[in-house]
Amino acid sequence: MEKLTHFDAEGHAHMVDVSQKSHTARVAVAESAVQMLPETLALITEGRAKKGDVLGVARLAGIMGAKRCADLIPLCHPLPITKVSVDLTPDETLPGVRIRAEVRTTGQTGVEMEALTAASVAALTIYDMLKAAEKSMTITATRVVLKDGGKSGRYQVQP
């Protein structure tokens, strides 16, 4: 197992010094899903949710979440994000909504946490907008599926 970089020699948490790292193009993709009853999914697909456009609001919330990641995760660096996209796909086989968040930067550290935050905040927003209809929804399968750029290179989940 590699050394955990967020701890110093005495075992105290600290922000990693990335000042000597090269600026490189970096990308991360994370996914999540919100499982729900078919009737709840129908509220989204038929546009009948009382709070409005569930997927549109969740998309914006995910983008905003990625931009605020360093405010939420104590040891994350604030990054100059160059792209955030959040795709939300209703899936009757789940049933629920599948979420895919992509974040890009040209910087000295990766954007995995920003992608995970985007996917998570989008999922939480879906829950918030539909909780009056169903409190038993489950947020699941949140993970990084692609990370590229930087010293450690490429990581990708194989389908």
Side-chain angles (χ1 to χ4, degrees), residues 20-58:
Q20 300 304 310
K21 290 175 121 184
S22 298
H23 285 264
T24 60
R26 298 166 186 265
V27 62
V29 176
E31 63 185 21
S32 190
V34 183
Q35 291 179 295
M36 59 191 67
L37 296 171
E39 314 72 268
T40 308
L41 180 58
L43 294 174
I44 296 171
T45 59
E46 296 169 9
R48 296 185 290 114
K50 288 184 179 179
K51 289 189 175 182
D53 179 8
V54 174
L55 300 183
V57 173

Side-chain angles (χ1 to χ4, degrees), residues 32-36 41 44-45 54-56 58-59 86-101 122 126:
S32 190
V34 183
Q35 291 179 295
M36 59 191 67
L41 180 58
I44 296 171
T45 59
V54 174
L55 300 183
R59 180 177 299 104
V86 179
D87 299 315
L88 300 111
T89 307
D91 183 347
E92 292 181 6
T93 64
L94 192 53
V97 178
R98 295 194 184 276
I99 303 162
R100 181 183 183 279
I126 291 169

Side-chain angles (χ1 to χ4, degrees), residues 48-79:
R48 296 185 290 114
K50 288 184 179 179
K51 289 189 175 182
D53 179 8
V54 174
L55 300 183
V57 173
R59 180 177 299 104
L60 289 175
I63 292 167
M64 292 171 68
K67 292 167 51 175
R68 300 300 301 257
C69 182
D71 294 333
L72 299 169
I73 310 297
L75 300 177
C76 281
H77 293 83
L79 298 174

